[in-house]
Amino acid sequence: MEFRLDKTGNIHVPIGKASFEADKLYENFAAFMEALKKARPAAAKGIFIKRITVATTMGPGIKMDANMAQNLKSEE
C-alpha cells in the first residue's frame, strides 16, 4: 500500500472511490490502518495517530475516533 506524508505530518491515501460498496471501503481502510501500524518506526514515542479525517477529493472531512480506527481488523 502506498501513502504519502506532507511536510506538516498529514498522511494522504486513497482508500477507494465513491462508487465502492461500504464493505469494500471498510476493508480498504482497515488494511491501510494495519499497514500504517506496521510502518511505524520503532523509535517513535507517544501518540502516533492523533486525528483521522476521511473525505472525498473535494468534499468536507468527517472526523473519526482514532482509537477505534486503530483497532479495526481487515478480513483478509
Side-chain angles (χ1 to χ4, degrees), residues 3 5 11 32-50 67 70:
F3 46 90
L5 180 71
I11 297 174
F32 164 69
M33 291 303 296
E34 287 183 17
L36 189 60
K37 282 190 261 185
K38 289 179 184 176
R40 178 184 178 157
K45 303 288 183 200
I47 300 172
F48 190 59
I49 301 173
K50 294 183 180 180
N67 292 327
Q70 291 180 54

Side-chain angles (χ1 to χ4, degrees), residues 6-76:
D6 66 15
K7 61 184 174 183
T8 60
N10 296 315
I11 297 174
H12 303 270
V13 62
I15 59 168
K17 298 182 179 215
S19 61
F20 284 12
E21 293 184 19
D23 293 341
K24 188 63 176 168
L25 289 171
Y26 175 86
E27 287 178 26
N28 290 348
F29 184 73
F32 164 69
M33 291 303 296
E34 287 183 17
L36 189 60
K37 282 190 261 185
K38 289 179 184 176
R40 178 184 178 157
K45 303 288 183 200
I47 300 172
F48 190 59
I49 301 173
K50 294 183 180 180
R51 287 185 299 260
I52 298 174
T53 304
V54 178
T56 59
T57 303
M58 297 299 289
I62 300 170
K63 294 180 182 178
M64 296 183 62
D65 180 10
N67 292 327
M68 187 165 41
Q70 291 180 54
N71 294 326
L72 293 177
K73 301 288 183 200
S74 67
E75 298 174 9
E76 297 175 11

